[in-house]
Amino acid sequence: MVMAPLTRSRAGEGDAPTPTVVEYYRQRAGAGLIITEGSQVSAQGKGYMRTPGIFTSEQIAGWRQVTDAVHAEGGRIFLQLWHVGRLSHPLVQINGAQPVAPSAIKADGEIYTSEGLKSYEIPRALNLGEIPDVVADFRLAAENAKRAGFDGVEIHGANGYLIDQFLRDGTNTRTDAYGGAVEHRTRFLKEVVESVIEVFGASRVGVRLSPIFNYFSMSDSNPQATFNYAAKMLSRYGLAYLHVVELGAGSFDFRELKRCFGGTYIANGGYDAERAEMALSSGDADLVSFGTAFLANPDLVERFKHGKALNEADPTTFYQGEERGYTDYPTLAEL
């Protein structure tokens, strides 16, 4: 049982984890593996208010307290490395900079800023000379994650963020070495993976993908071909796992994707205990990650083990409320 990454917007000053964040992860150390909420690899990579980073000494120190607490409980924890790309806003960026993306294509939707909800704006397309700098940001973030005591890292290539924007032809209309044919659109992911592997080793690096995720006007003309190719490319590295969000619009053969990767496959997307057991028994997944269920049930492993009822999650506190709806969900022992 894997705890899926969950944005909770509880970071403190300087986007560093607080003691409350430490307690949140400590409570959930019973998971076979915790994958943290996405943590921006640079100031440029930030999209949402109060999300943690992994590029300053204060952020590293805050995360070190988290890893120490989880390890003290016998748990294991990976940090998710994140760059949101176009899903940001000048009000979130340093000096009001435009968010960056593979191409200057605006996302549908709104983002919460210091001035309230704002529509996404047209991003600035990264020039060819800037892309190695972003790859270097991922490598430095991995080095910082290692300093913070993480057992490994997950590269966030899903949910409409920067790597996903490079992968799909609906958001990548470049005509250089990073656009066009699928082998070019996967190049950015390939370079990020290779840079992070140099830090942690392949066996401590995972990748998350979401082939049919369609929020933020994400699309691809042939997702099966695109993501099968990406999975085959990733299969060459001996990664810890491929973590796949199986939610979205349209049909997709996830079994085929799993075969293309060939390694450990983590399934995600609305799984409960019964459906997870079926996926494991049938070979459709090697591991299953749970998001909202872990959010509301710090002792989810015990509840599944003994067939106990689950706490219901309160959506109004997903991204606000400090301790409320964050560290105050009761365990079975407290009921």
Side-chain angles (χ1 to χ4, degrees):
M1 289 177 63
V2 177
M3 178 176 164
L6 293 158
T7 295
R8 303 305 311 276
S9 299
R10 298 311 205 278
E13 186 174 351
D15 292 335
T18 66
T20 308
V21 175
V22 174
E23 176 61 11
Y24 169 76
Y25 283 110
R26 186 201 66 77
Q27 290 176 347
R28 289 154 181 80
L33 172 66
I34 292 173
I35 305 168
T36 73
E37 61 209 279
S39 300
Q40 51 263 16
V41 299
S42 65
Q44 182 194 72
K46 181 177 178 176
Y48 308 109
M49 297 180 67
R50 297 194 65 188
T51 54
I54 188 64
F55 57 92
T56 71
S57 58
E58 293 79 13
Q59 293 163 359
I60 296 167
W63 278 121
R64 183 80 215 197
Q65 294 181 51
V66 171
T67 61
D68 285 347
V70 170
H71 290 153
E73 297 289 337
R76 293 293 178 265
I77 184 167
F78 276 30
L79 181 77
Q80 190 184 61
L81 304 178
W82 189 30
H83 190 306
V84 304
R86 69 178 185 168
L87 297 183
S88 186
H89 192 277
L91 289 170
V92 181
Q93 294 288 309
I94 293 176
N95 298 324
Q98 285 297 115
V100 299
S103 303
I105 300 172
K106 178 181 175 292
D108 291 342
E110 295 179 315
I111 183 172
Y112 190 78
T113 73
S114 58
E115 297 181 8
L117 282 172
K118 298 286 184 180
S119 295
Y120 289 112
E121 296 191 357
I122 298 174
R124 179 178 65 80
L126 286 162
N127 66 52
L128 200 58
E130 291 177 292
I131 294 176
D133 295 333
V134 182
V135 173
D137 287 338
F138 275 90
R139 181 192 173 105
L140 179 59
E143 291 172 351
N144 290 340
K146 201 167 192 178
R147 294 186 187 101
F150 283 96
D151 299 298
V153 291
E154 176 175 284
I155 297 167
H156 197 348
N159 298 95
Y161 299 117
L162 184 62
I163 292 173
D164 202 15
Q165 292 160 29
F166 269 94
L167 289 173
R168 303 207 221 184
D169 58 18
T171 43
N172 183 349
T173 58
R174 300 177 74 97
T175 57
D176 58 19
Y178 291 89
V182 66
E183 58 265 31
H184 295 159
R185 286 183 279 119
T186 55
R187 180 178 174 180
F188 181 61
L189 171 60
K190 178 177 183 290
E191 292 179 351
V192 169
V193 167
E194 289 176 351
S195 70
V196 172
I197 282 175
E198 289 177 359
V199 177
F200 265 101
S203 65
R204 299 293 181 120
V205 176
V207 171
R208 195 179 211 212
L209 300 176
S210 56
I212 53 174
F213 178 90
N214 62 317
Y215 293 100
F216 311 123
S217 54
M218 292 299 296
S219 67
D220 190 83
S221 61
N222 191 339
Q224 194 76 57
T226 294
F227 286 91
N228 282 359
Y229 183 92
K232 289 176 183 176
M233 180 270 289
L234 294 171
S235 72
R236 300 196 295 264
Y237 295 102
L239 297 173
Y241 59 78
L242 180 65
H243 189 184
V244 181
V245 182
E246 298 177 345
L247 300 174
S251 60
F252 191 89
D253 189 339
F254 290 101
R255 289 182 177 180
E256 185 179 347
L257 184 73
K258 183 176 183 291
R259 286 194 297 270
C260 287
F261 179 62
T264 299
Y265 180 98
I266 304 179
N268 171 266
Y271 280 83
D272 57 16
E274 182 180 3
R275 184 177 167 218
E277 289 286 6
M278 289 175 61
L280 295 170
S281 298
S282 66
D284 287 346
D286 302 298
L287 301 166
V288 177
S289 71
F290 302 87
T292 305
F294 256 121
L295 180 156
N297 297 274
D299 58 344
L300 185 64
V301 174
E302 288 300 305
R303 289 175 186 261
F304 276 9
K305 182 178 179 180
H306 299 292
K308 299 296 185 180
L310 304 185
N311 296 324
E312 286 194 24
D314 178 5
T316 67
T317 62
F318 282 0
Y319 309 111
Q320 61 182 351
E322 301 309 317
E323 291 86 357
R324 188 170 63 88
Y326 190 58
T327 56
D328 64 348
Y329 283 105
T331 63
L332 288 171
E334 294 166 338
L335 293 174

